[in-house]
Amino acid sequence: MGLLRRLERALERGLDAVGGLLGAGGLSERQLERIVADEVDTTRGPEGRPVLLNTFAVHVASANLASFRSAPDELVRRLEAAIIAAAEARGLPFPVGLDVRLSGDPEQAPGSARVEASWQGRPPRLELLNLRSARRHVVVGPSVVVGQAPTCGIVLPSEYVSREHARLSLVGDGWRVTDLGSSNGTKINGARVREADLRNNDTLALGPLVFRVEVR
């Protein structure tokens, strides 16, 4: 390992310690993110085109898992974000149907992690994060209507949201929003739309309610 890389590693360890994120055996949450991101790679999909590995089984020592500050669900979301960022930085395809599983393994040595990465054909998962309330809505099924009516798949109890405001649909390997003639409109990243594809980290506004789009 070269001098520059050794200095980088020393700085990373220092930042981990300052951040108070070092777990038992010296494994930090940041280090785990880097370990998982290093496993990002592509394989050949069923049609021969390159697809990103989308299934990551992450094994850490049970003591490490118990010592992390973040709750397991929160840490999984950070690992998902690290995978997406690594793919974007390397110009790789988006990891459609991303699934990260984190577990404590009594046989795993403290301070280390083992990652089993593979590709599994599955549709992308869609979640909407309310930027004001921080409530998270998980879209279940290939098509869901969002609105004020109690019969909607996602119910938004706001007088400024129409009874059936918009439809979220799985189209191919992506998600699309369609406005259903709402009174106060549907916007993607500030622009009013009748129909538009949804991408990870888009901002979706249904009337006055604003959500961050999370495609996994």
Side-chain angles (χ1 to χ4, degrees), residues 138-153:
V138 179
V139 178
V140 178
S143 181
V144 173
V145 174
V146 183
Q148 191 182 150
T151 54
C152 289

Side-chain angles (χ1 to χ4, degrees), residues 41-65:
D41 202 353
T42 59
T43 187
R44 291 290 175 182
E47 298 177 358
R49 60 187 175 88
V51 294
L52 197 74
L53 301 178
N54 63 0
T55 304
F56 293 77
V58 184
H59 306 273
V60 299
S62 300
N64 286 130
L65 186 61

Side-chain angles (χ1 to χ4, degrees), residues 132-143:
R132 184 169 185 178
S133 69
R135 182 180 178 184
R136 187 177 295 275
H137 301 275
V138 179
V139 178
V140 178
S143 181

